Amino acid sequence: MDDKERLDRLQDVVIEEFLAMSAAEVMEFTTTEALESVKSNLAAAIAEAGRARLARAKAAAEKDARRPRLVASTSGAEALRAARAKDSDFDKRLTLAARNGSASYEADKSGIEEDLDELRRWEEDGDRT
């Protein structure tokens, strides 16, 4: 066992002993002011952790709001038309990628529809978990 492991074990033992003490025993080693200071520090740490968690949640929500959404429909062609009509940049990137810069959109239409149906199934499966 190295020094760090020994210190970690010592810290664990001290915490266990402290937690096993009664309130009267604790007061023999500290003052009311010191306890109030610890409570204040804990409250501040909890509040800061909450603010950080809220900031991460807001950032994730904003990122999620910007992602393309599949429209609810029974037909892949309808979903494709709606997605393309909603975002012209997406439309340009989708058709260019689908054609690989060569074939027409119509030649790749069925493959795009299959991809959209697969994405919809993944999203639906993810909602159930």
Side-chain angles (χ1 to χ4, degrees), residues 35-107:
L35 287 177
E36 291 303 318
S37 175
V38 169
K39 287 180 185 178
S40 175
N41 289 340
L42 282 173
I46 290 169
E48 179 60 31
R51 285 189 292 275
R53 186 176 178 198
L54 179 61
R56 287 191 307 272
K58 283 181 178 179
E62 289 172 6
K63 181 179 178 184
D64 186 63
R66 290 189 304 266
R67 78 177 173 90
R69 303 276 187 219
L70 292 176
V71 293
S73 72
T74 56
S75 168
E78 291 172 24
L80 178 59
R81 278 191 293 277
R84 291 179 67 197
K86 185 176 180 181
D87 187 344
S88 63
D89 185 50
F90 169 74
D91 179 45
K92 289 175 189 171
R93 287 182 289 141
L94 176 69
T95 57
L96 180 61
R99 320 190 278 273
N100 197 18
S102 60
S104 71
Y105 159 73
E106 292 301 322

Side-chain angles (χ1 to χ4, degrees), residues 105-121:
Y105 159 73
E106 292 301 322
D108 292 319
K109 182 178 177 182
S110 64
I112 294 169
E113 290 173 355
E114 289 174 13
D115 290 344
L116 287 170
D117 286 337
E118 184 177 0
L119 287 171
R120 184 178 304 101
R121 284 192 303 275

